[in-house]
Amino acid sequence: MNQLITLNRRELLKTTTGLVTGWVVAGSSLALIAPGRAWAVDLVALTSFDGAMLMSMARTIAPHDKLDDAAYALVIKVVDGDAAKDANTLKMIKEGVAILGTGFAAGSENARVEVLKKIESSAFFQTMRVKTLQVLYSSPIAYAYFEYEGEAFSKGGYLFRGFNDLRWLPEVPAEDSGPLPAGA
């Protein structure tokens, strides 16, 4: 039996959760793969405030100044999904955000690092650290930013397919490079 559920404005606002939004920076690696300039992540269990705090936390855990916020927003989306599925996870996240304090996101990087050092043994910090590393570095956005071309096994391996095309490392002198395999 279908029932029509009516909510007044106050009830609707109580049940509405968060939204994390941003803009893709022109000229960034994400601009090459993003379908548009704006991005948004709908949050189910967390509020926009929680999302902003967690995004600052993720950026502090894995700081890459030129990596777009959209990559970090993917982390928050996964954390929000986990919190929506499990009441204990939601409680832990909410309590952790409260411990960070309202000024955490606006604080300097050094101030945020100091706050995180104080809670680094907590389940909240460890959960966010693991999710940040797992999700951030497995996203296509991060792949594009770091110029990672993906696994090479199915393409014949790395030796003849970009093994030495890292532009951010200095060239290794020939006498320090070791023997080359046959056919190289």
Side-chain angles (χ1 to χ4, degrees):
M1 166 165 46
N2 292 337
Q3 294 181 352
L4 179 61
I5 298 174
T6 58
L7 297 175
N8 65 29
R9 182 176 178 271
R10 186 173 307 274
E11 289 170 330
L12 177 65
L13 290 174
K14 276 196 245 180
T15 61
T16 303
T17 55
L19 179 69
V20 178
T21 62
W23 295 94
V24 174
V25 177
S28 71
S29 56
L30 178 59
L32 300 173
I33 61 173
R37 291 192 51 210
W39 57 266
V41 173
D42 285 319
L43 302 174
V44 177
L46 302 173
T47 65
S48 297
F49 175 78
D50 297 335
M53 296 287 281
L54 295 176
M55 213 147 107
S56 292
M57 184 177 181
R59 268 205 171 275
T60 306
I61 290 170
H64 300 286
D65 293 338
K66 295 181 182 177
L67 183 57
D68 285 288
D69 282 343
Y72 293 95
L74 296 174
V75 174
I76 308 314
K77 182 177 181 177
V78 170
V79 171
D80 178 63
D82 292 348
K85 293 178 203 165
D86 181 38
N88 291 329
T89 301
L90 177 60
K91 182 179 182 229
M92 177 193 58
I93 296 295
K94 291 284 191 179
E95 289 172 353
V97 167
I99 290 170
L100 292 176
T102 57
F104 178 80
S108 69
E109 184 173 0
N110 289 338
R112 290 191 315 264
V113 168
E114 288 305 313
V115 169
L116 294 182
K117 280 182 180 180
K118 292 176 185 172
I119 64 167
E120 68 185 342
S121 63
S122 71
F124 167 63
F125 177 85
Q126 292 302 320
T127 298
M128 283 301 298
R129 183 182 66 82
V130 167
K131 288 295 178 187
T132 298
L133 298 178
Q134 285 176 339
V135 176
L136 182 68
Y137 296 121
S138 66
S139 76
I141 298 169
Y143 286 1
Y145 175 77
F146 293 113
E147 298 180 7
Y148 175 62
E149 299 172 10
E151 62 84 24
F153 179 77
S154 65
K155 301 167 186 105
Y158 286 111
L159 187 59
F160 300 109
R161 201 186 141 271
F163 174 74
N164 201 23
D165 67 355
L166 299 174
R167 290 180 286 285
W168 51 273
L169 288 176
E171 285 295 321
V172 177
E175 62 272 6
D176 293 335
S177 65
L180 292 175

